[in-house]
């Protein structure tokens, strides 16, 4: 452990009343020196996530974002391993970031081997949100050239076919967000026009919630070329992680803490909405995260 890490870690360890911009800038300026410590932190948490469940602890989230911005592939496997935690643990470890940053961080660290992501997406015992992050990572990594597009598209079509078969026998299919809803959007984002007939069959069978992904929208989106698909994701704020300060500037905790010294606040506060003067987001309104999905099918679903 370096002297710099010993000095820097306490500044990033817990949520505070302001963003630690100086500490983030210092970390970025010494990435080669600090990256091994950040990777080791994620590896340790993948073996035992208990420290990340402590109230107010966010060092692992900064580690994830910094390593993602640095495109450090050593973080890829421990990050993917963390996604296999149970639903409650995912909520404690990642909070809102399982929606906002986790999938994009996985794509940013991807080393070209999609197996860690396909295993996570295929794990029906894992949190839906972790699996969704894996799908997002596969899609983004393929569009960014960090993974081969062909195998990703093949996997999405295959898991989609299997999920569709399961939904046909599920009594309450469609009552909540299903993995197939997400898969359809990912195939469209990848421009997988070759699978449009298959997607049409899923819609015709009533297996895809058309309030989440309308058939006409999917048909239009899937016709786009890869460059247009990628630009659409980037414009929606769903591209690779590039600027950690920007990623963390909107963490609600930074807006809600008064400028006085307080005990560490729970990580769960990352999942509370920012307090605003304008009306609340309606369940059928677009989600303010910029995903293009309805609020009830995105951040309003958890």
């Amino acid at each position: 452990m370096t002297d710099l890490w010993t000095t820097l870690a306490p500044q990033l360890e817990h949520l505070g009343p302001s963003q630690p911009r100086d500490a983030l800038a210092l970390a970025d300026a010494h990435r080669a020196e600090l990256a091994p410590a950040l990777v080791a932190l994620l590896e340790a948490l993948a073996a035992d996530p208990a420290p990340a469940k402590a109230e107010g602890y966010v060092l692992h989230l900064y580690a994830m974002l910094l390593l993602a911005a640095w495109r450090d592939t050593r973080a890829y496997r421990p990050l993917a391993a963390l996604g296999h935690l149970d639903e409650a643990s995912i909520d404690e470890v990642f909070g809102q970031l399982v929606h906002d940053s986790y999938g994009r961080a996985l794509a940013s660290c991807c080393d070209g081997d999609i197996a860690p992501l396909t295993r996570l997406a295929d794990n029906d015992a894992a949190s839906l949100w972790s699996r969704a992050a894996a799908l997002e990572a596969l899609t983004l990594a393929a569009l960014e050239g960090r993974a081969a597009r062909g195998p990703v598209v093949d996997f999405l079509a295959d898991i989609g076919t299997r999920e569709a078969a399961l939904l046909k026998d599920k009594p309450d299919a469609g009552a909540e967000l299903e993995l197939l809803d997400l898969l359809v959007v990912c195939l469209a984002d990848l421009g997988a026009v070759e699978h449009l007939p298959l997607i049409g069959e899923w819609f015709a069978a009533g297996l895809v919630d058309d309030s989440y992904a309308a058939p006409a929208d999917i048909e239009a989106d899937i016709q786009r070329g890869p460059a247009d698909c990628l630009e659409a994701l980037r414009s929606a704020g769903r591209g690779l992680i590039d600027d950690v300060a920007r990623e963390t500037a909107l963490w609600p905790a930074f807006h809600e803490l008064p400028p006085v010294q307080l005990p560490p606040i729970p990580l769960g506060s990352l999942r509370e909405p920012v307090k605003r003067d304008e009306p609340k987001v309606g369940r059928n309104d677009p989600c303010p995260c910029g995903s293009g999905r309805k609020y009830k099918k995105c951040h309003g679903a958890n």
Side-chain angles (χ1 to χ4, degrees):
M1 185 176 295
T2 68
D3 290 340
L4 178 58
W5 173 244
T6 302
T7 301
L8 193 61
Q11 300 178 50
L12 300 175
E13 197 165 31
H14 290 88
L15 288 170
S18 61
Q19 191 182 34
R21 283 184 170 271
D22 290 344
L24 292 174
L26 184 62
D28 196 56
H30 295 83
R31 59 181 66 180
E33 180 181 349
L34 292 175
L38 298 178
V39 172
L41 172 68
L42 295 179
E43 289 173 340
L45 289 179
D48 178 14
K53 299 179 182 182
E55 291 187 353
Y57 183 86
V58 290
L59 183 57
H60 63 301
L61 300 179
Y62 281 121
M64 174 181 75
L65 293 172
L66 286 166
L67 291 166
W70 301 341
R71 307 291 187 264
D72 197 316
T73 57
R74 292 171 293 181
Y76 178 45
R77 281 164 174 74
L79 276 178
L82 283 167
H84 291 272
L85 297 172
D86 60 75
E87 185 87 41
S89 295
I90 286 293
D91 197 38
E92 291 175 303
V93 170
F94 288 108
Q96 186 67 47
L97 269 65
V98 73
H99 303 282
D100 297 341
S101 309
Y102 179 46
R104 297 163 54 230
L106 285 167
S108 299
C109 296
C110 180
D111 61 6
D113 178 10
I114 65 172
L117 297 177
T118 59
R119 281 195 295 269
L120 177 53
D122 236 344
N123 181 4
D124 58 9
S127 161
L128 172 65
W129 307 119
S130 292
R131 300 177 76 190
L135 296 178
E136 180 181 25
L138 284 164
T139 303
L140 183 56
L143 287 173
E144 287 281 5
R146 299 188 66 80
R149 177 185 178 279
V152 169
V153 171
D154 290 345
F155 170 77
L156 295 178
D158 176 64
I159 189 176
T161 300
R162 288 183 279 119
E163 287 294 316
L166 291 174
L167 285 177
K168 289 178 180 178
D169 298 323
K170 187 177 178 182
D172 60 344
E176 301 291 343
L177 183 68
E178 302 286 355
L179 197 70
L180 190 62
D181 299 325
L182 304 167
L183 283 160
V184 167
V185 173
C186 290
L187 286 167
D189 284 340
L190 280 165
V193 68
E194 65 271 31
H195 293 298
L196 189 55
L198 179 62
I199 293 171
E201 292 176 12
W202 297 338
F203 273 113
L207 302 178
V208 180
D209 184 349
D210 58 12
S211 72
Y212 177 81
D217 292 339
I218 292 298
E219 186 168 358
D221 289 347
I222 209 168
Q223 302 289 343
R224 300 171 299 177
D228 289 338
C229 293
L230 179 56
E231 180 55 35
L233 288 179
R234 288 173 174 171
S235 297
R238 305 304 303 178
L240 298 177
I241 304 292
D242 287 316
D243 186 335
V244 177
R246 184 174 66 240
E247 292 287 331
T248 59
L250 296 181
W251 282 6
F254 294 134
H255 296 275
E256 294 182 349
L257 279 176
V260 294
Q261 186 64 39
L262 292 175
I265 64 174
L267 179 56
S269 295
L270 286 173
R271 298 185 294 278
E272 295 298 323
V274 179
K275 294 181 179 178
R276 305 180 189 274
D277 295 330
E278 57 265 29
K280 290 183 178 180
V281 180
R283 294 282 290 163
N284 289 306
D285 292 340
C287 188
C289 76
S291 68
R293 305 163 190 161
K294 291 188 177 184
Y295 179 67
K296 69 179 181 181
K297 292 295 186 177
C298 193
H299 286 78
N302 61 331

